[in-house]
Every structure is written in structure tokens, then in C-alpha cells.
Amino acid sequence: TENGNRRYFEVKVSDSTKNRRLKQRIAIESWECFKNNQSQELLKKGTGLTFDQITPILECQFKRIVLIDNKAQQRVSIDLSPIFINSRTGVNIGVPELVIIETKRNTNNPDLFAELIDSESAQKSDISRYMTGMLATNPSTKRYTVNRNHSK
């Protein structure tokens, strides 16, 4: 890591049988050396592809705060001031007023953070960090609608 900043190479694959995404990631020292053997193995295992078959499009940088409640088995990640860098368009946009909050919890426990947000009447929406970055950096990106079934 440089100056305390962490960088990761991450592979996400949809698991249609469980209606969720599987994610694997490894720490990398810099973007220039992310094609190391460990990254290549992760990409091949997760997708069946090699680096010669893909093109990096979007880099997202942000400051992150993580809150953990071990008793409630809940984690809240707060991503602040994202910067989106599109390698195809060359557009680099910072959105200092954007805060992305994600909660992860044991589904048997109540979502305490969501209850707090609801009680404060804060604006909530389902967004994709990737699509937010693509829409901000490439005007020809097609919009899509998120369709999620939330069951309790």
C-alpha cells in the first residue's frame, strides 16, 4: 500500500442459483502491477478469462469508514467522496457530495442501520457504484433499472 491507501483487484461473479454475487479480491501494491500471477489466477478461477481477454474500463477511488457491531453481526461500510476514472473516455470525475453506505448483516438479525436511516427520513436508493461511475464518465452509457426482490 502507498500512504495507507489500499488497492484491490476484485472479481465479482453472479450466482444465479442463490440470487447473489460472489466476490473475491486480493490486495495489490499498485494499479500498474495488478496483472501479477495471483491476480491472473483469481481472474481465471472466477471467470475463466485471462487479462488478454478483458479491458479495464472504470477505476473507483474513495475514502472508506467501516463500523462493525460484533454482537449484532452487522457491518456498515461508508464510502465518501468517490472519484471515477474511465479509461475509455479519459474522463475523471470526483463527486464529493456523494456518500455510499452499504450494510451487511446476519439475515436473522434486524438491520439496525436501516432502521436508523428510516427514523431520520434520509434519502435511500439502490445504486451500483459501477453504474454511477459509468453514467458520470460516459454520457452514452445506457441506464438500467435495478429490480431487486427484498423479502423479510
Side-chain angles (χ1 to χ4, degrees):
T1 63
E2 294 177 27
N3 302 324
N5 295 324
R6 295 184 182 153
R7 292 183 171 92
Y8 296 95
F9 173 70
E10 185 172 273
V11 175
K12 292 182 182 179
V13 180
S14 293
D15 180 352
S16 58
T17 61
K18 295 182 181 178
N19 197 21
R20 64 181 197 153
R21 291 186 145 216
L22 303 175
K23 176 172 71 172
Q24 293 181 311
R25 70 179 182 180
I26 57 171
I28 57 174
E29 291 180 27
S30 70
W31 299 122
E32 293 77 28
C33 73
F34 83 97
K35 291 185 181 183
N36 63 30
N37 288 338
Q38 193 178 7
S39 298
Q40 289 183 42
E41 289 172 20
L42 180 61
L43 180 64
K44 187 76 170 170
K45 179 182 173 189
T47 66
L49 301 172
T50 65
F51 281 109
D52 296 337
Q53 297 171 292
I54 65 169
T55 304
I57 297 173
L58 187 70
E59 177 183 341
C60 179
Q61 301 173 358
F62 48 86
K63 297 173 184 158
R64 174 171 278 180
I65 299 168
V66 179
L67 307 172
I68 299 173
D69 183 338
N70 290 323
K71 184 178 177 185
Q73 298 179 334
Q74 182 168 10
R75 185 182 82 223
V76 178
S77 298
I78 305 168
D79 297 343
L80 308 166
S81 305
I83 299 169
F84 301 104
I85 303 163
N86 189 312
S87 60
R88 282 193 181 158
T89 64
V91 175
N92 177 338
I93 291 182
V95 190
E97 65 277 6
L98 180 62
V99 176
I100 299 172
I101 301 172
E102 176 184 23
T103 63
K104 299 239 175 147
R105 65 185 171 86
N106 178 327
T107 56
N108 295 323
N109 294 337
D111 189 339
L112 303 174
F113 189 79
E115 291 174 12
L116 174 65
I117 294 295
D118 288 343
S119 71
E120 295 296 323
S121 302
Q123 180 182 353
K124 295 189 314 184
S125 65
D126 283 338
I127 65 168
S128 156
R129 189 178 296 110
Y130 172 77
M131 279 308 295
T132 301
M134 289 302 294
L135 291 166
T137 60
N138 186 349
S140 66
T141 301
K142 293 182 181 179
R143 295 178 181 266
Y144 74 98
T145 303
V146 176
N147 183 10
R148 297 186 180 170
N149 294 322
H150 295 286
S151 58
K152 295 189 178 197

